[in-house]
Amino acid sequence: MLELAGDADLPVLERVKLCGLVSRNLDEFFSIRIAALLGSVRARMLIPSPDGRLPMETIAECRDRVLAIQAAQAHLWLDDLKPALAREKIRIVSIEDCARRELTSLARRFRREIEPLLTPIALGAAAPFPFIPSLALNIGVIVPDPLTRDRRFVRVNVPAGVPRFVPAGRGTFVLVEEVILEFLRATAHERPLPYAVFRITRDADLSISRDTDDMLEAVETQLLRRRFANVVRLEVGAGTPVELVTLLTRELEISPQQVYEVPPPVCLGSLHELAELDRPDLKEAPWRPVTRRPFAKRNASALLAQIRRRDILVHHPYDSFDSSVGEFVAAARDPKVAALKATVYRMDSASPTLASLVQAAEEDKQAVCLVELKARFDERRNIDSSRTLERAGVNVVFGAPDLKVHAKLALLVRRERGAMRRYAHIGTGNYHSSNASNYEDLGLFTADDEIAADVADVFNAVTSRTPPIGFRKLLVGPWYLRDGVVREIGRITAAALAGTPARIRIKVNSLVDPEIVDALYDAATAGASVEVVARGICVLQPGRPALGDRITVRSVLGRFLEHSRILWFETDDEVSVWIGSADLMPRNLDHRVEVLVPIEDARMRAEIGRVLDALGADTRFAWTLDRHERWKRVEPEPGVARISAQETLMQRAVRRAKKG
């Protein structure tokens, strides 16, 4: 992502957004991954991870990598992006460079919008070190006491909700911390002595007891504890006085290895503010999803009849989420529909799924929502939305404390010819409208009796907290998913050993499960081709001795976040294709309710094959992993134009829509 942010061929505000996302991704990495490693250290767990490293060794290597990333990111911002913005009349300047008119404007904003929200808190004998929220920006200053001639530490909060880049007029912006320091000094008639702009990251994971009786109450309690969780990281600007770094390290009870000095400004995650400026000339042209023919101008009855005749596959955001998933769940308004059930991982107030559940409940139909309260960083929103659903009469069910519900399912039950027929949607992404416009995902609509019955059994297993006996067609975690995936890989391995051409194609966010990785090595050793597209972490290593190029790993970026999960198993005479919610990680395979559904329609398999082909042909936004665990950007042959997989798929979606 950082390398892509340095791509001069991209519009500058798209590059600024990517540069900011690097910081936001690192925030999550520290609050979850590094926090877990530090927890292992505190618990004196000296068990090596699968790569043979002890927790402290992993932390030390991560620190070196992170410092290198942050140095490169700062260089990109200061020496490339910031000057590029200035050329486009978007100036980020220091307070000393402001003209008198700009200073007057800043002073007015400070008095009206910032100063009323400031709460300076001094550290002293009667005042303990103040509470510091996670990921909030702070200013620490040491000021003289005019009565005692001593010096005291004062922490000044940078208010939440105040822009990081404060407008000073005519496309000029100043960092909010500089504005605060300047005008606080002017108000106090004294120049602050040493100061630090700093930020901390706290452990953000939740720990829910398996014996809890009230999931909602337990999650709320953990959210309160999260505010005071252990500090994982302290970020300070490079050049911060040593006495301030020492004071912060002592008061926060962290080691020097948890301190990260970064070139100012601290926290480039706020660059998203600049990326949201109304400058369409500096951004990519917006994409408008298309509506597939089965969903065009159809009422609920006609839509369900279409699904009954043949399965439908959609690919977001190329295909519209609202006109497909939205229309499917809205079909609950059909008088013959008796029930709507859906899983919700991340709540969205604009979600058509939630609106349809409320409407179904108001019409005295069965409305069931499986809400995952432990969806990381969305816990509070999920709690509030759950209460809203319950007040509307929706039956809200939470997952078990130690079992996240990550599957993406919706089920309609309709009266037809004296019996009940089920219609199901199984997706790879959340029922979240804003995510659907930026995340790449697949979804299957089907009235297949066995698949729909399996979906109903998933709901019943969670709501009744009763382990299922088995499933007809779906692979469902944590009960049968791992065995099913291993069995499919084993089938390919056996075919390759028998001399049959064999191929495995995998598209996931992360591939880290040791058993799956070993099985893939076995398949490659047997002679099968293993092709992986992994957006995030991948521990499968290409180029192992004796395997040649039978294992390839690539990552594809672009304007959309590649999010779908696809497993493709191919022999000379058989192709088995699965899509669903599960990444190939121990947590997904063993500790979550996940679903993979087979794609049985040959035309749909061919469509998914074209998606994988496009990703494999990308020479614009693709990187490949080499045998030395290094990512290398894919370059086209000399004189050959670059190809973007996402551009290819957008063009294909437009052509398909024009054909009707």
Side-chain angles (χ1 to χ4, degrees), residues 187-373:
T187 301
H189 300 289
E190 62 180 35
R191 176 173 294 277
L193 291 170
Y195 75 89
V197 177
F198 69 96
R199 186 175 88 124
I200 67 169
T201 307
R202 294 184 184 273
D203 185 342
D205 213 1
L206 296 182
S207 178
I208 309 295
S209 170
R210 298 182 61 180
D211 301 326
T212 186
D213 294 323
D214 189 328
M215 270 288 292
L216 192 147
E217 181 181 339
V219 173
E220 285 194 307
T221 300
Q222 286 297 313
L223 287 179
L224 290 173
R225 291 178 180 171
R226 178 193 277 176
R227 296 185 65 238
F228 302 94
N230 291 319
V231 175
V232 176
R233 171 182 60 163
L234 166 65
E235 295 173 277
V236 297
T240 298
V242 174
E243 64 176 321
L244 272 169
V245 176
T246 302
L247 183 149
L248 290 169
T249 303
R250 181 185 71 245
E251 295 294 336
L252 294 169
E253 299 180 346
I254 60 175
S255 70
Q257 286 69 41
Q258 292 172 261
V259 179
Y260 288 77
E261 293 194 26
V262 297
V266 173
C267 179
L268 287 172
S270 51
L271 289 178
H272 71 88
E273 293 180 11
L274 299 176
E276 291 169 1
L277 290 173
D278 186 19
R279 289 291 302 272
D281 56 315
L282 304 181
K283 303 178 185 180
E284 291 176 317
W287 164 250
R288 292 182 175 83
V290 303
T291 297
R292 291 217 172 187
R293 191 196 320 183
F295 299 98
K297 297 180 181 179
R298 292 181 179 272
N299 58 37
S301 179
L303 171 60
L304 297 180
Q306 180 78 14
I307 296 172
R308 191 164 61 247
R309 282 192 293 272
R310 187 165 198 164
D311 291 355
I312 302 171
L313 183 74
V314 291
H315 194 193
H316 310 303
Y318 311 105
D319 299 320
S320 169
F321 178 85
D322 289 337
S323 68
S324 56
V325 176
E327 286 302 312
F328 177 76
V329 294
R333 65 181 178 266
D334 184 312
K336 293 183 180 180
V337 170
L340 169 62
K341 302 182 181 183
T343 62
V344 175
Y345 191 70
R346 299 192 186 279
M347 291 286 193
D348 175 16
S349 58
S351 168
T353 304
L354 301 190
S356 294
L357 283 164
V358 169
Q359 183 176 349
E362 291 173 345
E363 294 173 356
D364 292 326
K365 298 177 179 181
Q366 186 180 155
V368 179
C369 187
L370 301 187
V371 177
E372 182 45 70
L373 291 179

Side-chain angles (χ1 to χ4, degrees), residues 587-604:
R587 71 181 190 191
N588 297 85
L589 298 171
D590 303 324
H591 305 292
R592 290 185 172 187
V593 177
E594 303 273 16
V595 167
L596 292 179
V597 60
I599 303 299
E600 298 180 318
D601 185 295
R603 293 195 304 178
M604 291 181 185

Side-chain angles (χ1 to χ4, degrees), residues 524-535:
T525 301
S529 167
V530 178
E531 305 160 28
V532 176
V533 178
R535 177 174 60 84

Side-chain angles (χ1 to χ4, degrees), residues 88-93 97-109 113 165-175 179 277:
E88 300 293 345
K89 297 182 171 55
I90 301 173
R91 299 170 57 243
I92 318 304
V93 302
D97 296 327
C98 289
R100 179 175 298 178
R101 182 180 62 251
E102 292 167 336
L103 287 172
T104 300
S105 174
L106 289 172
R108 188 183 307 116
R109 283 185 179 273
E113 302 172 19
F165 297 92
V166 182
R170 296 188 179 183
T172 299
F173 300 86
V174 178
L175 288 167
V179 175
L277 290 173

Side-chain angles (χ1 to χ4, degrees), residues 27-222:
D27 288 346
E28 183 171 347
F29 179 74
F30 273 89
S31 65
I32 301 300
R33 307 284 183 183
I34 298 297
L37 290 167
L38 287 170
S40 297
V41 172
R42 285 192 298 271
R44 301 185 182 277
M45 294 176 61
L46 301 180
I47 302 173
S49 58
D51 62 6
R53 292 183 180 91
L54 293 172
M56 281 307 300
E57 294 174 318
T58 303
I59 292 171
E61 186 166 348
C62 286
R63 176 181 170 82
D64 292 341
R65 301 280 187 100
V66 168
L67 288 171
I69 289 172
Q70 290 181 319
Q73 182 192 25
H75 170 71
L76 174 67
W77 166 245
L78 295 171
D79 299 334
D80 186 346
L81 295 178
K82 191 175 171 184
L85 288 173
R87 290 192 292 272
E88 300 293 345
K89 297 182 171 55
I90 301 173
R91 299 170 57 243
I92 318 304
V93 302
S94 65
I95 199 103
E96 292 83 5
D97 296 327
C98 289
R100 179 175 298 178
R101 182 180 62 251
E102 292 167 336
L103 287 172
T104 300
S105 174
L106 289 172
R108 188 183 307 116
R109 283 185 179 273
F110 176 77
R111 289 193 302 271
R112 292 179 178 179
E113 302 172 19
I114 301 174
E115 187 178 28
L117 298 173
L118 296 180
T119 306
I121 300 176
L123 176 64
F129 192 78
F131 167 72
I132 309 293
S134 184
L135 302 179
L137 202 63
N138 302 269
I139 301 170
V141 296
I142 295 181
V143 298
D145 187 323
L147 298 178
T148 65
R149 296 186 179 181
D150 290 335
R151 301 193 306 163
R152 64 182 185 274
F153 173 84
V154 178
R155 175 256 184 172
V156 182
N157 63 308
V158 175
V162 172
R164 177 73 184 282
F165 297 92
V166 182
R170 296 188 179 183
T172 299
F173 300 86
V174 178
L175 288 167
V176 66
E177 57 266 35
E178 290 193 35
V179 175
I180 292 172
L181 283 166
E182 174 70 15
F183 293 109
L184 274 183
R185 182 184 70 225
T187 301
H189 300 289
E190 62 180 35
R191 176 173 294 277
L193 291 170
Y195 75 89
V197 177
F198 69 96
R199 186 175 88 124
I200 67 169
T201 307
R202 294 184 184 273
D203 185 342
D205 213 1
L206 296 182
S207 178
I208 309 295
S209 170
R210 298 182 61 180
D211 301 326
T212 186
D213 294 323
D214 189 328
M215 270 288 292
L216 192 147
E217 181 181 339
V219 173
E220 285 194 307
T221 300
Q222 286 297 313

